[in-house]
Amino acid sequence: MDNIVLNVRSVDDKKVTDHHALIITENPAKDISGDDKTIYEMVAGRMLEAFSQKCVKDATTIALTCGDTVFETKGSTMKQTGWRAVFNEKEEKDDEESNLPNLSEGEQLPVLQAYVLEKQTKPKPLHTEASLLSAMESAGKEVENEAEREAMKESGIGTPATRAAIIETLFARDYIRREKKSLLPTDKGLAVYDIVKDKRIADVAMTGNWENALAKIESGEMDTNTFRQATEVYTRQITTELLNTSIAVTDNNACDCPKCKSGKVIFYPKVAKCNNADCGLMVFRNRSEKELSDKQITDLLATGKTAVIKGFKSKGGKSFDAALKFDADYNVVFDFPEKKGKK
Ligand SMILES: [Zn+2]
């Protein structure tokens, strides 16, 4: 390529969204170095690759049978470099794999050496936002059923425009959190996952099938009524399934509810709450800038009162000590220690 050195700009000068490609402009990029130059060359190179010829290779797979075991080896020979010439990239392992000997079918080969190679696989690393985005895009690959995997080949979870918003929702609902670049599920996220993981609502293939169906409606291959009817059936099924879900109480902290006497009070990160929907008993952890411990809430539930807790802060910023107790309606109220020697 001769001297196509151009500036980079996004298509819309003000708003850059995930739909726009970065393209280079007709203005030569002068006097750039270091990181700027690297980034510029990545963008320019990718653009040249996109407009280049295909890369053509001859690929060979050899299957060798020894006893009952089939061994496979692959090799390839470059016929036309095409887009790979832009960065003159060599594919990894290329050198080794290309050099397959000339063999003909049915040929017998001597076994020169045999030994067992013991290896360990590393667990997959934690997801980052970038890896999660691409995992959503290619979610179909993880589907075990072959037919469903085929159906999902063209679709993942969400669309390019909605995937980022889906991840934001996971943050907003406190299902995942960031630790440096990694994403970690929260206790709440894991609890929700445990409940829905085997349910139809969490079926990745279903989501993919929807995307397929929507694409077919767009291209006129499917009629909207068929889709709507199927969606109605599906909606009924998932709702029934979810309503029949009983949330297993595994939390040892759960206490008998003093108000309705029939429910259990479940401890959550921000609140302890009776699981009897008609009861409504709730104890918030945060009280006048103090976080209540499980022990303090347990005392309150079991005896109606806590010991004196130090370090509450009044609205005016003044620190004070008090016990907490339930009033007649099971609202949590302060119980101030009586001061001795004063009337
Ligand atoms: Zn209750």
Side-chain angles (χ1 to χ4, degrees), residues 257 259-261 263 274 276 279 281:
C257 175
K259 184 180 177 189
C260 67
K261 312 262 190 308
C274 177
N276 172 3
C279 167
L281 180 115

Side-chain angles (χ1 to χ4, degrees), residues 95-320:
D95 294 338
E96 202 181 24
E97 285 192 352
S98 300
N99 299 324
L100 289 180
N102 283 323
L103 296 169
S104 50
E105 220 174 323
E107 210 175 318
Q108 295 266 341
L109 301 170
V111 178
L112 297 177
Q113 204 182 10
Y115 51 92
V116 178
L117 204 59
E118 203 168 294
K119 286 188 176 179
Q120 283 180 332
T121 55
K122 259 196 206 160
K124 286 183 185 175
L126 292 169
H127 267 304
T128 61
E129 270 179 74
S131 76
L132 188 56
L133 273 175
S134 65
M136 290 166 83
E137 201 176 330
S138 61
K141 285 180 197 153
E142 307 275 327
V143 175
E144 278 173 29
N145 181 302
E146 205 175 323
E148 284 173 356
R149 190 168 56 236
E150 185 61 26
M152 280 193 69
K153 227 166 81 180
E154 299 291 314
S155 62
I157 297 174
T159 67
T162 60
R163 278 177 203 129
I166 292 172
I167 297 178
E168 282 313 311
T169 304
L170 294 178
F171 279 118
R173 294 191 184 158
D174 195 26
Y175 290 163
I176 56 172
R177 64 186 166 86
R178 272 187 203 92
E179 205 171 282
K180 289 179 188 160
K181 274 187 170 180
S182 298
L183 302 178
L184 290 174
T186 60
D187 289 342
K188 183 180 170 189
L190 287 172
V192 172
Y193 169 74
D194 258 342
I195 291 166
V196 302
K197 65 177 176 190
D198 302 321
K199 303 276 186 292
R200 292 199 63 187
I201 197 169
D203 188 349
V204 174
M206 191 70 212
T207 321
N209 288 342
W210 272 8
E211 298 292 343
N212 274 343
L214 293 176
K216 278 184 184 163
I217 290 171
E218 202 180 319
S219 64
E221 288 170 71
M222 187 192 267
D223 115 272
T224 52
N225 255 333
T226 315
F227 181 69
R228 190 179 302 132
Q229 278 163 14
T231 310
E232 276 174 21
V233 173
Y234 172 75
T235 311
R236 221 170 289 132
Q237 284 172 342
I238 54 167
T239 324
T240 314
E241 216 176 44
L242 288 176
L243 288 174
N244 288 335
T245 303
S246 60
I247 298 170
V249 179
T250 49
D251 198 333
N252 296 327
N253 290 329
C255 291
D256 292 327
C257 175
K259 184 180 177 189
C260 67
K261 312 262 190 308
S262 62
K264 286 261 178 207
V265 180
I266 317 286
F267 288 62
Y268 299 97
K270 287 180 178 160
V271 71
K273 202 170 149 189
C274 177
N275 65 356
N276 172 3
D278 298 328
C279 167
L281 180 115
M282 251 194 261
V283 179
F284 287 97
R285 276 209 195 262
N286 192 296
R287 181 82 197 205
S288 300
E289 296 188 26
K290 179 100 193 161
E291 290 288 312
L292 303 181
S293 69
D294 285 358
K295 165 89 171 65
Q296 286 160 341
I297 297 175
T298 308
D299 284 350
L300 179 66
L301 293 166
T303 67
K305 204 179 156 185
T306 67
V308 173
I309 299 166
K310 288 187 174 166
F312 289 113
K313 282 239 164 62
S314 73
K315 281 185 185 140
K318 263 181 83 181
S319 180
F320 65 94

